[in-house]
Amino acid sequence: MTDHETWSERQKTAGVTVDGHDLEIAYHEDGPDADAGNESDGGTEADAGGDEPPVVFLHGIPTWSFLWRDVVPTIAENRRTIAPDLIGYGNSSMHDGFDRSIRAQEVMLEDLLATLDVETVSLVAHDIGGGVALRFAAHHPDRVEHLVLSNAVCYDSWPVEFVSNLGLPDTVELDRSELESRLDSAFVEGAYGEADPDFVEGMKAPWLSDEGHRSLVRNAVATNTNHTTEIDYGSIAAETLLLWGEDDVMQPIAYAERLADDIRESRIEPLSEAYHWVPEDRSAAYADRLRSLLSEPNT
């Protein structure tokens, strides 16, 4: 069994309702008491894993929760972790007929946390997952203890050309080998140094079926800059760490600097030798810095 197949095998499922649509969310859960009251039909235990809130990991496009494969285990040593596949991604619902924008993903996150009986969280997010996290933290400042953003979409920083091209109407009819070639370019050329074949294979896997191919196009066309330009960044109260791959050209570190100016309790920690896929490029350093932040005493 491959690494991504093992990850999928360990995922649980939960039902959510987004804009009146009943959808299924696949999520990876680990850490102390991760199974307490959290079967596939939802949970009854609030904030399992001691007094500390769970750490929720949000991925971007065109990834899925497997992005966090080398970060989650370190954090799960002493914290409950929850890493969902966004709707339209990974092993979550992919069929047509629902919105996949970051506005809708925020609704999904809120309903998933309610289903799991989780009130307060620490959010760790990358790419469009960062946009989801920013919206949630701005709309629910009392529910987010820590906010960790990595090469996140914000303001008018997105969509990038690669994603916009995936959302063109004729991409649905694209030959599968051509789609795979585009994804190879994104994950192989987007890695700092030699890309891990297990990472590349795992990232591509959800998109290589007919349903996955179509869903990826729907996800790409759902990118909407208005959903980050409308955020009141000054309302975010969470202690915020901008853990940014400093060599990224898709979401340059200049946007992290802008976030640091607008979010009250924030600081930038650049990670060198990292492009856009910073949780993969610098997974050990990423996990160490995240664990250090989470272990700091509350002030």
Side-chain angles (χ1 to χ4, degrees), residues 22-26 85-95 98 100 211 215 219:
D22 293 330
L23 304 169
E24 186 173 274
I25 294 300
D85 292 340
L86 300 180
I87 46 175
Y89 293 76
N91 293 304
S92 293
S93 292
M94 281 190 170
H95 58 80
F98 59 88
R100 298 108 182 288
E211 182 181 54
S215 191
N219 296 338

Side-chain angles (χ1 to χ4, degrees), residues 162 165-166 170-186 204 207-208 213 216:
F162 167 71
N165 287 342
L166 284 176
D170 60 359
T171 309
V172 176
E173 307 301 327
L174 199 67
D175 181 83
R176 188 63 44 76
S177 62
E178 175 59 26
L179 175 67
E180 187 168 5
S181 177
R182 291 192 189 185
L183 293 172
D184 277 331
S185 295
K204 293 190 303 182
W207 315 121
L208 300 183
H213 183 157
L216 178 58

Side-chain angles (χ1 to χ4, degrees), residues 41 44 166 262:
D41 59 348
T44 58
L166 284 176
D262 287 344

Side-chain angles (χ1 to χ4, degrees), residues 31 85 93 158 168 185-186 210 233 250 284 296:
D85 292 340
S93 292
W158 66 305
L168 295 174
S185 295
D210 288 345
Y233 293 89
M250 289 193 285
E296 291 176 1

Side-chain angles (χ1 to χ4, degrees), residues 19-254:
D19 302 337
H21 300 285
D22 293 330
L23 304 169
E24 186 173 274
I25 294 300
Y27 65 99
H28 183 284
E29 188 173 23
D30 204 350
D33 300 324
D35 294 323
N38 287 304
E39 301 301 329
S40 61
D41 59 348
T44 58
E45 295 286 337
D47 295 356
D51 295 331
E52 302 295 338
V55 184
V56 178
F57 293 83
L58 300 173
H59 66 85
I61 185 172
T63 62
W64 56 299
S65 60
F66 185 63
L67 174 73
W68 304 107
R69 61 183 184 138
D70 290 330
V71 176
V72 160
T74 298
I75 305 307
E77 289 173 5
N78 51 29
R79 292 287 287 270
R80 178 184 174 193
T81 63
I82 303 168
D85 292 340
L86 300 180
I87 46 175
Y89 293 76
N91 293 304
S92 293
S93 292
M94 281 190 170
H95 58 80
D96 271 351
F98 59 88
D99 185 10
R100 298 108 182 288
S101 70
I102 64 169
R103 180 209 59 81
Q105 305 291 356
E106 181 195 5
V107 175
M108 177 279 292
L109 176 61
E110 187 166 5
D111 204 50
L112 176 64
L113 295 180
T115 298
L116 299 182
D117 206 13
V118 170
E119 178 63 25
T120 305
V121 295
S122 288
L123 293 177
V124 181
H126 177 260
D127 191 76
I128 69 165
V132 179
L134 282 162
R135 289 179 63 91
F136 188 89
H139 294 148
H140 306 281
D142 57 334
R143 295 185 62 184
V144 183
E145 183 175 88
H146 296 98
L147 177 61
V148 180
L149 301 171
S150 297
N151 304 72
V153 303
C154 52
Y155 307 107
D156 58 354
S157 72
W158 66 305
V160 298
E161 184 178 9
F162 167 71
V163 173
S164 296
N165 287 342
L166 284 176
L168 295 174
D170 60 359
T171 309
V172 176
E173 307 301 327
L174 199 67
D175 181 83
R176 188 63 44 76
S177 62
E178 175 59 26
L179 175 67
E180 187 168 5
S181 177
R182 291 192 189 185
L183 293 172
D184 277 331
S185 295
F187 294 122
V188 175
E189 297 175 14
Y192 193 98
E194 186 174 351
D196 182 345
D198 289 338
F199 169 73
V200 177
E201 180 183 3
M203 286 296 100
K204 293 190 303 182
W207 315 121
L208 300 183
S209 66
D210 288 345
E211 182 181 54
H213 183 157
R214 182 179 61 252
S215 191
L216 178 58
V217 176
R218 305 294 189 247
N219 296 338
V221 80
T223 52
N224 187 337
T225 310
N226 290 331
H227 294 162
T228 47
T229 56
E230 70 182 4
I231 295 172
D232 178 5
Y233 293 89
S235 68
I236 296 172
E239 182 179 357
T240 301
L241 175 63
L242 303 164
L243 193 52
W244 219 269
E246 65 180 358
D247 298 312
D248 188 14
V249 297
M250 289 193 285
Q251 298 299 323
I253 199 166

Side-chain angles (χ1 to χ4, degrees), residues 278-293:
V278 60
E280 173 67 17
D281 286 341
R282 296 294 308 279
S283 55
Y286 194 103
D288 286 346
R289 294 196 188 188
L290 177 54
R291 180 169 55 185
S292 177
L293 173 72

